Amino acid sequence: MSTGTAEQESCDWTQLPADVTSTILSKIGAIDVLTSAQRVCSSWLRICHDPVMWRNIDMHNLGDLWDMDHDLEKMCRHAVDRSNGQLLSINIEYFGTDELLQYIANRSRNLRNLRLVSCYNISDQGFCEAIKGFPLLEELELSYCSLSQEALEAVGSLCPLLRSFKLNNRGHRCPKIECDDDAKAIAENMHGLRHLQLFGNELTNVGLQAILDGCPHLESLDLRQCFNVNLVGKLGKICAERIRDLRHPNDSTHDYEFGADFQDFCWSSVEDYPSGISDIELVSDEDDYYEFSDYDFGYDFDYDYLFND
């Protein structure tokens, strides 16, 4: 016996309670909200103008910026404006600039979580200036960015509440390049860290020891693809005893968010060509990302309409 008609059993998404709708929309990412979701109906549009909707702004994308019809920087500025000073967390991938980061800093003094991925257009100077606007920052990720030791020192001195830091790059074994600049900056300026991820970093055992000495509250430490680190003997024992969640240089990358491929180019002499590529591993969650390119609206995209408040 049927318990109801098909019409009764179907769900009218536009009639859901506002708080439920807001929770759902917050999961799909800022780009989809601005380009699609807010245009479904007037009730969704009202919800999408609520500052609460924009406490967490996720601008993740696949990096195919040349195939996109949207000005992501303009969209991000608009999303920040909608937060009305309530922004707590923001994720920017590929399109970040000095100007955009400063725009966020000027309007988001309560920011707790900042995530920058492959933002090569953010300079040391621009970053150091903008980071002054995030005194309450607790979590920071700088993955595949081109920032120097100076930027890390600024974070440590200007963000005293920082508890989680991710500094990720692509690892390689050969040629062997050792550099403890990042480790030194972290050890000397980020004493309150609880969680640290240094995927693909060039630090050595010397740099690791400095971090252990300078960051006594560390609970988790990710050293995957940090191939200059050798966790044996006394140093390995200290790490095992002090760090509750420790990831070793050669541990699996199956749960790593980005592509974990690395290429080793080795020369036996200056005349030799690279002898080949070894130990290539590729793990990527890009298939789980939303597709933001190649939108077909059936008309020329009108930003004035999109951002009309």
Side-chain angles (χ1 to χ4, degrees), residues 140-158:
L140 174 64
E141 177 173 348
L142 303 174
S143 290
Y144 309 98
C145 296
S146 54
L147 298 173
S148 72
Q149 181 180 0
E150 177 186 2
L152 305 190
E153 292 171 348
V155 171
S157 61
L158 296 171

Side-chain angles (χ1 to χ4, degrees), residues 108-248:
S108 310
R109 299 286 295 182
N110 294 316
L111 193 73
R112 302 297 202 277
N113 187 330
L114 173 62
R115 188 171 189 253
L116 303 176
V117 178
S118 298
C119 292
Y120 298 109
N121 289 323
I122 294 179
S123 67
D124 280 330
Q125 181 179 356
F127 180 85
C128 291
E129 184 62 31
I131 204 68
K132 297 175 183 177
F134 306 127
L136 302 181
L137 199 66
E138 298 176 359
E139 300 179 37
L140 174 64
E141 177 173 348
L142 303 174
S143 290
Y144 309 98
C145 296
S146 54
L147 298 173
S148 72
Q149 181 180 0
E150 177 186 2
L152 305 190
E153 292 171 348
V155 171
S157 61
L158 296 171
C159 305
L161 301 181
L162 193 69
R163 296 295 180 267
S164 176
F165 183 47
K166 295 182 179 182
L167 184 67
N168 299 323
N169 284 290
R170 180 158 295 172
H172 57 83
R173 284 195 178 99
C174 183
K176 186 174 183 179
I177 302 175
E178 299 180 348
C179 182
D180 286 317
D181 288 349
D182 294 340
K184 180 180 178 181
I186 293 169
E188 295 180 354
N189 298 279
M190 302 184 189
H191 305 299
L193 283 183
R194 264 66 175 178
H195 310 283
L196 177 61
Q197 184 176 64
L198 293 173
F199 195 101
N201 198 270
E202 296 169 348
L203 84 163
T204 69
N205 281 13
V206 173
L208 175 57
Q209 184 64 62
I211 289 174
L212 294 174
D213 293 339
C215 306
H217 306 295
L218 274 183
E219 300 173 10
S220 67
L221 177 61
D222 190 344
L223 297 170
R224 284 177 294 177
Q225 294 196 6
C226 295
F227 296 123
N228 296 328
V229 170
N230 188 8
L231 294 179
V232 297
K234 182 179 179 180
L235 182 60
K237 182 179 179 181
I238 293 175
C239 287
E241 292 175 347
R242 283 187 45 188
I243 309 300
R244 184 175 62 191
D245 182 10
L246 177 65
R247 308 297 292 272
H248 291 246

